[in-house]
Amino acid sequence: MIDKSIKNELKKSLLNNKLCMYIGSGFSIPCRLPDWKELMRPLAESIGLDIDKETEYMQIAQYYVNEKNRHELNEIIREKFNLKNKITENSENHKLLASLSLPEVWTTNYDNAIENSYDELNIDFDLKVKKEDLSYGINKKLQIYKVHGSYNEPDECIVTQQDYEDLYDKKKYYIEALKVSLIQKQFLFMGFSFKDPDIRFILAELRRAEIQKRTHYWITYDNPKWKKYDKNKQNIFIKDLEKNYGICPIRISNWNELTDLLKDLNKYKNQKSVFISGALAEPSPEQGQFLETLSSSLIKNELSIVSGYGLGVGSQIITGALNEIYENHKISSDYLKLHPFPQNVSDPAKRKELWKKYRTDMCIEAGFQIIVFGNKKDPSDESKRINSPGIQEEFEIAVDNQLFIIPVGSTGYKAEEIWDLMNKDLDKYGYTSKKLKKFFGELKSIDYNSPKLIETINKIIREVCNE
């Protein structure tokens, strides 16, 4: 179990946009990618060495290049580390990492799993592989630094002994940038062994410079199969990192603890984000005004809004949000995240699958779901209104992703139906205190034309965030 005080420190860094990740090859193993040893296994065999008897893997790569040539090594890297299927190949941890939207992610991995995860979530980022890349993307918030190169430019990959010897010359400006980040930000190292000489060299330089050390954290796995000698050796290694370089261990005995930590960080981050779920076939002026006032109040309370631009509600939500954003000189992209549903998909099965993915992506980005209205025209009689099945699906996805759900029952339709369902077992949905249960009742008893209803919605959010 990861210590609560460590989690709180990481959360504080996350909230202040100071948390960065340093990712090693162990992080990509769930993607069925080789680690150092398995990458070198066929290379060692081809030159008559037994990889199970060797530990200097970069030297194996050097011997291979000496005996064969760099071109063959490049082709192996290109083949082994290209994840072609973006959806099925990435691990849950990669997606959780991407959804954190950290300012910087540093990685020694050649594969494209991290980039793919950001692409899947439609998160813009700037990729830095060569020194020329350092001057690009300065206006983008998210930076991915591939310290040892990328599979699609294998000549740039740091893999052989000579590559490591020439690292400071080849990656000089990367190293300088990393030094600054290690001083200014807090790093969490994951899937990383600290055996690479480059990071130890950088940490040693910072130690010699006598710059006050910032505490960084390292996820380290206590392998239950280790013998007594191996455990002792690991303990000595960990103490050295902590004493001399300010790298504090987060010891886990099960890799699921890493996933749980990433989920916990996402949940904390997402508490500041609200997914508004709703639909109206023909909104009235009063309904439109309620939606504008609701979204404006959320922005005023420093919350961001996630919206799928739902039928009859999207434009009102956006109008209310933008009025508040521009009136107070805020940056719109910080407070408003839109996922307009693609309409021109003729195949019903494909459309259903695509829309479900959109709904899931919106839920992943939020900590709260507010459900309002929720009707559509009856296909058999367009003069009639029926409850929206899409809102039901969004509710179910929100439950699966552990969002805190606020069904505004007084707006009627699907929102009222979901309020009635949740009211049968409030504890199940997180309404466990007397205060929250009182607020829940007000979601149906207070008319949506009353300002008190929006006050109640914001009280629920504040109460949950302060628990």
Side-chain angles (χ1 to χ4, degrees):
M1 184 70 67
I2 297 174
D3 188 86
K4 187 176 180 180
S5 64
I6 293 176
K7 282 188 179 182
N8 288 339
E9 186 173 347
L10 293 174
K11 288 175 180 178
K12 184 178 179 181
S13 294
L14 178 65
L15 186 64
N16 293 324
N17 210 35
K18 294 292 185 182
L19 183 63
C20 301
M21 299 287 184
Y22 200 104
I23 305 297
S25 60
F27 199 76
S28 290
I29 289 175
C31 301
R32 299 189 293 279
L33 290 165
D35 59 10
W36 256 108
K37 184 175 183 178
E38 292 310 309
L39 177 64
M40 292 298 126
R41 186 177 295 279
L43 277 65
E45 289 175 358
S46 71
I47 56 175
L49 295 177
D50 183 350
I51 196 64
D52 293 320
K53 296 180 180 179
E54 304 293 334
T55 56
E56 299 295 331
Y57 301 133
M58 66 190 77
Q59 196 65 62
I60 297 292
Q62 185 65 55
Y63 294 156
Y64 180 85
V65 170
N66 293 346
E67 296 288 327
K68 308 286 184 176
N69 57 65
R70 178 71 189 220
H71 174 74
E72 290 186 22
L73 176 58
N74 287 348
E75 289 306 306
I76 291 171
I77 292 172
R78 199 189 301 273
E79 175 192 351
K80 294 287 186 182
F81 291 99
N82 179 17
L83 282 170
K84 295 178 182 178
N85 191 326
K86 294 185 178 182
I87 295 177
T88 61
E89 292 289 353
N90 284 9
S91 71
E92 181 181 11
N93 287 345
H94 280 86
K95 294 172 185 176
L96 290 168
L97 168 66
S99 62
L100 284 171
S101 297
L102 302 174
E104 296 176 11
V105 174
W106 295 76
T107 180
T108 54
N109 297 350
Y110 312 132
D111 62 75
N112 56 341
I114 294 174
E115 303 95 286
N116 287 352
S117 297
Y118 280 83
D119 285 337
E120 281 185 50
L121 297 177
N122 297 310
I123 298 174
D124 194 21
F125 63 92
D126 187 52
L127 184 63
K128 300 186 182 301
V129 180
K130 306 186 297 296
K131 65 180 180 181
E132 292 81 8
D133 299 333
L134 292 173
S135 60
Y136 302 136
I138 58 174
N139 294 322
K140 294 183 181 178
K141 289 186 177 180
L142 310 176
Q143 313 283 327
I144 299 176
Y145 294 85
K146 305 201 77 168
V147 185
H148 286 180
S150 180
Y151 80 95
N152 55 353
E153 297 186 60
D155 273 328
E156 295 284 329
C157 288
I158 307 300
V159 58
T160 69
Q161 182 68 41
Q162 284 187 2
D163 290 333
Y164 276 92
E165 290 170 356
D166 299 338
L167 178 66
Y168 195 86
D169 289 331
K170 292 178 71 173
K171 297 284 186 177
K172 177 180 178 181
Y173 299 107
Y174 274 78
I175 291 171
E176 295 304 318
L178 179 55
K179 287 180 188 175
V180 172
S181 289
L182 285 166
I183 293 169
Q184 295 181 343
K185 297 181 173 68
Q186 186 168 63
F187 275 70
L188 178 60
F189 293 82
M190 298 188 294
F192 192 70
S193 68
F194 277 99
K195 297 296 193 296
D196 287 348
D198 51 335
I199 189 67
R200 297 295 292 269
F201 172 78
I202 292 168
L203 292 170
E205 279 211 334
L206 294 178
R207 177 179 56 78
R208 288 194 296 271
E210 296 183 346
I211 296 173
Q212 184 175 357
K213 292 194 294 285
R214 181 181 295 278
T215 299
H216 303 292
Y217 289 97
W218 173 41
I219 300 287
T220 175
Y221 176 57
D222 286 341
N223 194 328
K225 295 181 180 179
W226 278 340
K227 296 179 180 178
K228 185 177 179 180
Y229 178 84
D230 295 321
K231 288 181 180 179
N232 184 53
K233 184 178 179 181
Q234 178 75 347
N235 288 334
I236 292 171
F237 181 69
I238 287 171
K239 288 178 183 177
D240 176 61
L241 283 177
E242 189 168 9
K243 180 179 180 180
N244 293 313
Y245 306 108
I247 308 295
C248 295
I250 299 178
R251 307 181 82 134
I252 62 173
S253 56
N254 188 310
W255 284 110
N256 289 333
E257 292 181 61
L258 171 57
T259 304
D260 290 341
L261 173 62
L262 293 172
K263 284 181 177 178
D264 197 25
L265 290 173
N266 269 283
K267 186 176 180 180
Y268 178 78
K269 165 185 167 283
N270 290 341
Q271 281 187 335
K272 294 294 184 181
S273 188
V274 179
F275 169 35
I276 301 180
S277 176
L280 277 169
E282 292 177 332
S284 68
E286 293 79 15
Q287 291 169 332
Q289 185 59 53
F290 166 76
L291 292 167
E292 287 187 25
T293 307
L294 171 62
S295 61
S296 175
S297 76
L298 295 172
I299 302 296
K300 189 176 292 184
N301 287 310
E302 292 299 316
L303 298 163
S304 64
I305 294 172
V306 180
S307 172
Y309 206 87
L311 174 69
V313 302
S315 60
Q316 289 88 344
I317 290 169
I318 293 168
T319 299
L322 290 178
N323 284 341
E324 181 64 30
I325 287 167
Y326 291 136
E327 187 176 321
N328 292 281
H329 309 290
K330 297 179 178 182
I331 299 172
S332 61
S333 60
D334 286 347
Y335 291 92
L336 193 56
K337 302 170 186 176
L338 301 178
H339 295 260
F341 285 91
Q343 302 296 325
N344 299 321
V345 183
S346 57
D347 185 331
K350 285 186 178 179
R351 183 170 61 249
K352 183 178 180 180
E353 181 183 354
L354 184 60
W355 283 19
K356 183 173 183 179
K357 183 180 183 302
Y358 263 61
R359 289 184 166 112
T360 302
D361 287 347
M362 286 188 284
C363 283
I364 287 173
E365 291 185 32
F368 292 90
Q369 179 192 38
I370 297 176
I371 303 174
V372 290
F373 306 109
N375 73 29
K376 59 179 287 188
K377 292 180 180 179
D378 187 338
S380 62
D381 183 353
E382 292 198 353
S383 66
K384 296 180 180 179
R385 301 291 176 263
I386 61 172
N387 288 350
S388 170
I391 305 304
Q392 177 67 32
E393 184 175 14
E394 288 171 5
F395 166 68
E396 291 170 1
I397 294 171
V399 170
D400 289 342
N401 284 274
Q402 299 180 324
L403 274 68
F404 196 92
I405 301 164
I406 305 173
V408 188
S410 64
T411 61
Y413 308 107
K414 179 56 76 169
E416 183 177 13
E417 183 182 308
I418 290 173
W419 187 97
D420 291 339
L421 171 68
M422 291 175 59
N423 191 47
K424 294 175 183 177
D425 190 358
L426 287 178
D427 287 352
K428 175 183 175 182
Y429 297 99
Y431 288 85
T432 53
S433 69
K434 288 184 179 179
K435 187 179 288 188
L436 282 173
K437 287 175 180 176
K438 174 181 174 292
F439 293 153
F440 186 86
E442 292 175 358
L443 292 174
K444 188 171 181 179
S445 64
I446 300 176
D447 188 271
Y448 71 79
N449 288 313
S450 170
K452 290 184 178 179
L453 180 60
I454 290 177
E455 288 178 19
T456 294
I457 293 170
N458 282 292
K459 284 178 182 177
I460 290 173
I461 294 173
R462 285 194 296 271
E463 183 70 16
V464 172
C465 287
N466 293 329
E467 282 184 342

